[in-house]
Amino acid sequence: MVSATVGRGAVLGAVALSLLAVPVRAVAAEHDTPAPATLPAPDTAGLAAVLRSAVDRGAPGALARIDDHGRTYRVTLGVADRGSARAISTEDRFRVGSITKTFSAVVLLQLADEHRLSLDAPVNRYLPKLLPDDRITVRQVLGHRSGLYDYTNDMFAHSVSGFEAVRNKVFTYRQLVALSLKKPRTNAPGAAYAYSNTNFVVAGLLIEKLTGRSVATEYQDRVIGPLGLGDTFYVHPRTAIPGRYARGYLTPDTAGAAPVDATAQTVSWAQSAGAVISSARDLDTFYGALLGGKLMSAARLAEMERFTPVNSTTAYGLGLRRRDLSCGVSVYGHTGAVQGYYTYAFATKDGGRSLTAMANTSNNGKVLDTLAGALDSAFCGKAKAVEP
């Protein structure tokens, strides 16, 4: 059953942070089209159709929440738990995967605001001899331009067996970096964009070295607490999702095999690259606040939004993606894929409208591609009828 509800919600006040205005050269991104002053209303019928398609293609359930200047739209379909058949809800918590990367980038950019980090300094200045090349900078790590090989390519060459081999393991950051360094680098530092989880494992190491505190503590004190994100947690290496949550199901590589319940896992293979737990409400709040300038100085946010093209519709900044939609609007956020969950979380340039859409499955490219359609429904409104 599809449910769509619209309501009024309270808007969070400004986050009290001491921000330093540091001069910076802001480079405008090519094809960077911000949202118009007034976007068309979200197409909730189109959003429901996207979720229906995701479920038809293998997701047990799917949800979407739009927050738009105090107005909230919710659409859900399917189940949160295949065993109990409990209906999925926008109140459910879930694993957000690589959306964690934006959290890590925010912490490091705040440290740059505090003059405790230089984005153009070599990583090895802060973590001596960690990397084999002194030319690899913090900025290149945050923008996936370091050339460091993504160790997860080998770890999950076989989805189910790879997952079962690590679901209860606890890695150190340096062990994960060592896995990457066993392979040649993909390119020279700064030469090209190449997505790699290794980069944000390095980001976690930087956070802990520069602050002397855990990534969990820095997330809590710098983002989760100030924004009042009551559904957001970093529980690594514990395996359970606190409170009410949607179970996540990993699609096997063998057609016809039963989905694997992947809900309980350490996510130690990802940590600061992918281990955050959150909800649709909290992710909307997070990206709305980030794009609205409430988490760092304007100068640092401008650096976060210096994008490198990835393909015709996407670009990558510093822990932040840009998606260019069919209606000409650009939105900003991140995607997340972790065993059992696919998530899209994006907002307009000013943070005024934000969307989170999640399907509780993974290793299913059809569902992932389908879920991307939620962005057009949320930010472009209803498609115009075409004259015959």
Side-chain angles (χ1 to χ4, degrees), residues 140 171 186 194 199 211 285:
Q140 290 164 356
F171 295 93
T186 56
N199 289 310
T211 65
T285 299

Side-chain angles (χ1 to χ4, degrees), residues 6 11 34-44 47 65-73 280-281 283-292 325 327 329-333 344-356 374-382:
V6 181
V11 179
T38 303
L39 286 173
D43 179 8
T44 54
L47 195 53
R65 174 179 170 128
I66 300 168
D67 283 282
D68 185 14
H69 298 89
R71 183 181 292 265
T72 298
Y73 303 80
R281 176 182 57 199
L283 292 182
D284 281 0
T285 299
F286 171 60
Y287 280 109
L290 172 61
L291 275 300
L325 305 182
C327 57
V329 169
S330 295
V331 291
Y332 307 80
Y344 282 78
F346 285 82
T348 51
K349 185 71 176 284
D350 64 356
R353 181 182 295 182
S354 51
L355 160 81
T356 296
L375 297 174
D376 281 316
S377 295
F379 298 104
C380 295
K382 293 184 179 179

Side-chain angles (χ1 to χ4, degrees), residues 48-374:
V50 169
L51 301 191
R52 165 65 68 186
S53 182
V55 170
D56 288 345
R57 294 179 177 185
L63 62 86
R65 174 179 170 128
I66 300 168
D67 283 282
D68 185 14
H69 298 89
R71 183 181 292 265
T72 298
Y73 303 80
R74 303 175 181 88
V75 184
T76 62
L77 183 70
V79 300
D81 185 332
R82 296 177 74 242
S84 69
R86 179 178 70 81
I88 200 167
S89 166
T90 55
E91 302 302 311
D92 288 335
R93 297 167 181 169
F94 49 87
R95 300 191 185 279
V96 307
S98 287
I99 289 167
T100 303
K101 292 177 172 67
T102 310
F103 283 75
S104 297
V106 165
V107 173
L108 286 176
L109 288 164
Q110 288 183 0
L111 291 170
D113 265 329
E114 296 162 12
H115 301 294
R116 299 163 72 181
L117 171 73
S118 170
L119 293 175
D120 293 311
V123 169
N124 284 351
R125 175 186 297 179
Y126 307 106
L127 297 165
K129 299 182 180 179
L130 175 72
L131 302 180
D133 193 328
D134 287 338
R135 295 176 299 167
I136 297 174
T137 66
V138 176
R139 188 188 302 276
Q140 290 164 356
V141 162
L142 293 180
H144 292 296
R145 295 185 299 111
S146 68
L148 294 171
Y149 179 79
D150 190 347
Y151 60 87
T152 66
N153 292 339
D154 301 323
M155 188 176 284
F156 302 123
H158 300 285
S159 296
V160 174
S161 60
F163 169 62
E164 295 293 3
V166 300
R167 74 182 296 167
N168 293 309
K169 276 192 175 181
V170 178
F171 295 93
T172 67
Y173 284 124
R174 289 181 181 270
Q175 284 174 330
L176 296 175
V177 172
L179 290 176
S180 169
L181 297 182
K182 289 179 179 179
K183 293 295 184 76
R185 279 170 280 155
T186 56
N187 51 260
Y193 169 90
Y195 191 89
S196 173
N197 286 287
T198 308
N199 289 310
F200 280 81
V201 170
V202 172
L205 272 170
L206 284 166
I207 290 169
E208 296 197 344
K209 178 64 179 292
L210 291 167
T211 65
R213 306 199 304 171
S214 69
V215 162
T217 300
E218 292 302 308
Y219 288 167
Q220 180 64 42
D221 290 356
R222 293 175 175 273
V223 181
I224 297 171
L227 294 181
L229 305 182
D231 294 324
T232 303
F233 305 90
Y234 185 83
V235 302
H236 172 267
R238 298 193 303 277
T239 60
I241 299 176
R244 173 175 173 157
Y245 57 87
R247 304 197 74 86
Y249 297 94
L250 173 62
T251 304
D253 296 311
T254 304
V260 175
D261 188 331
T263 310
Q265 58 168 304
T266 61
V267 203
S268 194
W269 61 266
Q271 300 188 53
S272 52
V276 162
I277 294 162
S278 193
S279 68
R281 176 182 57 199
D282 277 10
L283 292 182
D284 281 0
T285 299
F286 171 60
Y287 280 109
L290 172 61
L291 275 300
K294 297 175 182 177
L295 287 175
M296 63 189 68
S297 69
R300 214 56 64 206
L301 181 59
E303 294 205 64
M304 194 178 205
E305 295 173 347
R306 292 169 63 179
F307 292 99
T308 298
V310 175
N311 56 38
S312 62
T313 60
T314 64
Y316 205 90
L318 302 182
L320 190 70
R321 289 191 187 277
R322 190 192 76 224
R323 293 287 293 245
D324 304 324
L325 305 182
S326 62
C327 57
V329 169
S330 295
V331 291
Y332 307 80
H334 216 286
T335 52
V338 63
Q339 290 91 352
Y341 305 92
Y342 284 142
T343 308
Y344 282 78
F346 285 82
T348 51
K349 185 71 176 284
D350 64 356
R353 181 182 295 182
S354 51
L355 160 81
T356 296
M358 187 277 287
N360 58 340
T361 192
S362 67
N363 196 36
N364 185 326
K366 291 182 179 179
V367 171
L368 180 62
D369 293 342
T370 295
L371 203 60

